[in-house]
Amino acid sequence: MKHTGSCHCKAISFEFDGPEIDSGLRCNCSICVRKGAVMTPFIVSPDKMQINNKQGLLGHYEFDSGVARHYFCRGCGIYPFHQTRRKKDHYRINIGCLEDVDSLSLPYEVFDGASL
């Protein structure tokens, strides 16, 4: 299934192939708690993810191990996706940035990222 999304100002847009989204995932690590996002419960491989950064506003933040990359738009500040620590170069997507998915109505599980 093709999913499309963007940051708030639409400077960063993306699409990926993945299953239907009927639940989400939240993480209790220090950065994810502060972001408060509901993420996809599945990861997306780099070959399934297409990112449009025509305006050059895609920034990223790394901390601790430097493996996970948390991406954000330098224009509007929105976090659309990140690359995971457990599976380098693979993505989890901020469901709130996806078109046609209501992230507020989805059940979610909590991942214990604080213990990694």
Side-chain angles (χ1 to χ4, degrees), residues 14-58:
F14 57 93
E15 61 181 39
F16 63 94
D17 293 316
E20 180 180 354
I21 299 172
D22 56 8
S23 66
L25 183 74
R26 295 191 69 179
C27 178
N28 68 356
C29 79
S30 60
I31 191 169
C32 288
V33 165
R34 285 166 176 79
K35 287 189 293 193
V38 178
M39 301 169 287
T40 53
F42 54 85
I43 58 173
V44 177
S45 64
D47 62 319
K48 302 284 187 200
M49 181 81 164
Q50 295 83 42
I51 300 169
N52 178 351
N53 180 26
K54 286 184 182 173
Q55 296 180 36
L57 293 178
L58 185 63

Side-chain angles (χ1 to χ4, degrees), residues 63-79:
F63 69 101
D64 193 27
S65 69
V67 175
R69 289 183 168 186
H70 300 264
Y71 291 90
F72 62 94
C73 174
R74 292 180 186 171
C76 65
I78 294 298
Y79 144 73

